[in-house]
Amino acid sequence: MALLVQKYGGTSVGDAEKITNVARRVAATQAAGNQIVVVVSAMGKATDELIALAQSVTKSPEPRELDLLLSTGELVSSTLMAMALRELGVASISMGGAQAGIQTDTAHGRASIVHLDPARVRRELDTGRVVIVAGFQGITDDMDITTLGRGGSDTTAVALAAALKAERCEVYTDVDGIYTADPRVVPSARKLSEIGYEEMLELATYGAKMHPRSIELAAWYKVPVLVASSTQDIPGTLIHDVDNGGNAMEVSNKVSGVTYERNVARITMRAVPDRPGVVAHVFEPLTDAGISVDTIVQNASAERLTDVSFTVERADLVRALEVSSRVASDIGAADCVANDHLGNVSIVGTGMQNAPGYASRMFRALSDAAINIEMITTSQIRITCIVDEAQVNDAVRVLHQAFELDTE
Ligand code: ASP
Ligand code: MG
């Protein structure tokens, strides 16, 4: 008998029929002799609708109230799932995040789990029930309900799997695994049968549809995560500790995947005085405003003046520009200019760190396709180029081809 945590995304529980279909799958897995915790997202676009509803009442909803409101989306799907299971004759119980013992800090809208006491969940499992937990939420010491950030149900699922020492966390979605590239952009993309945590973290941070924090958590607690289809019975992708050393001889292609993001905006602060502390001045107010900054490039200074460029999500551009224009005048920089139609494309692979030449191959492939590179950033296992948004699809396709990802 294995203990499994299964997570179903919003599309997979989008209406009553889909909920019943998921319930059937859960029932079958239980009948095969497993204990199951099910974590659900809100139905379909429920979270977006709740946000829109809040915004129709006020332009700036209070974070505490917004979190309590958003938490109801997952309460709806989890209670319905419990009812659907009962209808099939399966004993079940639903719980909000708080009831499942998920304790968070007070950062409304992007709370972190600080403690998870799974005692109640375990007790219910031991009576033979399937436990359904509302994803994406927890509770503070002060009994305020928090949410974990958009996409946070993945993190709920992995956290429960870790706390319960589950055999595996299974994430069922409308994509049936992790691909070498988004199949909607690259039809010849291949599904990976397995991938390591590190690579998956880079893919998730730069476009693949999983909450990056869930991968961090899985890596930390060594929880194997299976990503698979919620409707079809076909093999998915297992995210786990891949031992690259063991089969290094066979790994001729060291890029595992190409990923992308649209909706990237860049701000350039021009003629920034080059003295200690200035860059801290630029970024602290952005952090305080809850704006996350991705790529940062500071030029070498000419005559003690330098340009600092950074990217943010397009949705944050207006606020980021407000904040940084204020900072620019405080520190005596010339001004801030923005470009709001950028995207990025990345190649990811653990093998790249010990092999030179990947960057130049990437730049050559982009240049052969007449794609201009606006900015470049790298990690040990990733190279990212910021490009014009209109060229993102082309960039993904040429890189997929250049690194021969369509062949095994
Ligand atoms: N319902 C939440 C969202 O849409 C959390 C999730 O789906 O994981 O972001
Ligand atoms: Mg999701």
Side-chain angles (χ1 to χ4, degrees):
M1 185 174 69
L3 169 50
L4 301 173
V5 175
Q6 298 193 328
K7 184 254 171 179
Y8 291 89
T11 337
S12 311
V13 295
D15 57 37
E17 200 186 316
K18 289 181 175 161
I19 288 176
T20 300
N21 282 337
V22 168
R24 275 198 204 100
R25 291 176 60 111
V26 173
T29 314
Q30 196 207 33
N34 300 293
Q35 287 188 316
I36 306 170
V37 175
V38 178
V39 174
V40 286
S41 289
M43 293 170 69
K45 298 250 169 287
T47 307
D48 291 328
E49 285 159 18
L50 290 170
I51 291 173
L53 199 53
Q55 276 165 351
S56 65
V57 174
T58 165
K59 261 175 65 189
S60 49
E62 221 187 306
R64 181 193 176 278
E65 302 305 329
L66 186 62
D67 268 1
L68 191 51
L69 176 68
L70 295 189
S71 72
T72 64
E74 268 73 7
L75 292 178
V76 169
S77 50
S78 55
T79 46
L80 291 176
M81 185 64 71
M83 293 177 200
L85 279 162
R86 290 255 172 143
E87 193 62 21
L88 299 174
V90 177
S92 63
I93 181 171
S94 65
M95 294 184 196
Q99 292 169 296
I102 300 174
Q103 202 95 46
T104 75
D105 62 17
T106 59
H108 282 289
R110 53 190 158 91
S112 296
I113 299 173
V114 290
H115 184 67
L116 204 169
D117 175 4
R120 173 76 194 275
V121 173
R122 165 107 43 212
R123 221 160 53 231
E124 298 295 345
L125 287 172
D126 288 343
T127 67
R129 285 170 155 172
V130 171
V131 179
I132 299 103
V133 178
F136 170 63
Q137 55 188 273
I139 193 165
T140 67
D141 284 345
D142 253 354
M143 305 284 222
D144 283 321
I145 301 293
T146 51
T147 64
L148 308 180
R150 298 306 305 269
S153 297
D154 293 341
T155 296
T156 302
V158 173
L160 279 163
L164 291 161
K165 300 193 171 45
E167 177 139 327
R168 197 165 56 236
C169 181
E170 302 178 338
V171 175
Y172 292 105
T173 69
D174 49 343
V175 295
D176 57 8
I178 306 301
Y179 280 75
T180 51
D182 183 343
R184 288 168 304 183
V185 176
V186 187
S188 60
R190 282 181 308 110
K191 195 197 300 178
L192 300 164
S193 59
E194 58 172 359
I195 187 167
Y197 293 116
E198 267 186 274
E199 286 178 310
M200 186 58 210
L201 182 57
E202 295 282 8
L203 290 177
T205 307
Y206 287 85
K209 287 207 324 185
M210 269 197 82
H211 203 221
R213 274 166 51 195
S214 69
I215 307 299
E216 260 171 352
L217 204 59
W220 186 257
Y221 290 98
K222 299 239 184 302
V223 178
V225 179
L226 176 75
V227 180
S229 164
S230 61
T231 51
Q232 292 168 278
D233 249 328
I234 48 175
T237 302
L238 186 65
I239 306 164
H240 66 150
D241 243 340
V242 178
D243 178 11
N244 279 313
N247 61 357
M249 281 182 75
E250 294 169 33
V251 182
S252 55
N253 197 340
K254 288 165 177 161
V255 173
S256 302
V258 180
T259 181
Y260 69 92
E261 287 177 312
R262 300 181 215 282
N263 303 319
V264 174
R266 176 183 58 200
I267 294 177
T268 301
M269 196 179 288
R270 295 192 291 193
V272 178
D274 187 14
R275 56 175 195 282
V278 159
V279 173
H281 260 303
V282 174
F283 291 105
E284 276 159 4
L286 289 164
T287 310
D288 294 343
I291 296 168
S292 78
V293 171
D294 189 14
T295 305
I296 302 175
V297 174
Q298 180 188 314
N299 239 326
S301 72
E303 280 147 33
R304 323 252 359 117
L305 291 176
T306 173
D307 290 345
V308 177
S309 295
F310 56 93
T311 60
V312 296
E313 269 179 45
R314 184 177 305 144
D316 288 336
L317 178 63
V318 173
R319 281 192 314 136
L321 203 52
E322 257 168 43
V323 172
S324 46
S325 300
R326 206 174 338 112
V327 172
S329 79
D330 284 354
I331 62 178
D335 59 2
C336 288
V337 291
N339 178 336
D340 68 352
H341 53 270
L342 296 173
N344 62 42
V345 47
S346 308
I347 57 172
V348 172
T350 38
M352 293 198 297
Q353 57 192 337
N354 303 316
Y358 282 84
S360 55
R361 234 165 109 191
M362 179 177 191
F363 304 152
R364 169 57 57 203
L366 293 175
S367 103
D368 286 349
I371 295 168
N372 187 47
I373 300 170
E374 302 272 340
M375 287 164 95
I376 300 164
T377 99
T378 65
S379 80
Q380 290 218 324
I381 63 166
R382 170 185 50 82
I383 306 171
T384 300
C385 292
I386 315 279
V387 301
D388 192 288
E389 186 167 48
Q391 293 184 305
V392 164
N393 283 3
D394 281 345
V396 173
R397 280 191 283 266
V398 300
L399 293 173
H400 197 265
Q401 198 169 30
F403 289 97
E404 292 160 9
L405 288 171
D406 32 18
T407 53
E408 196 86 39

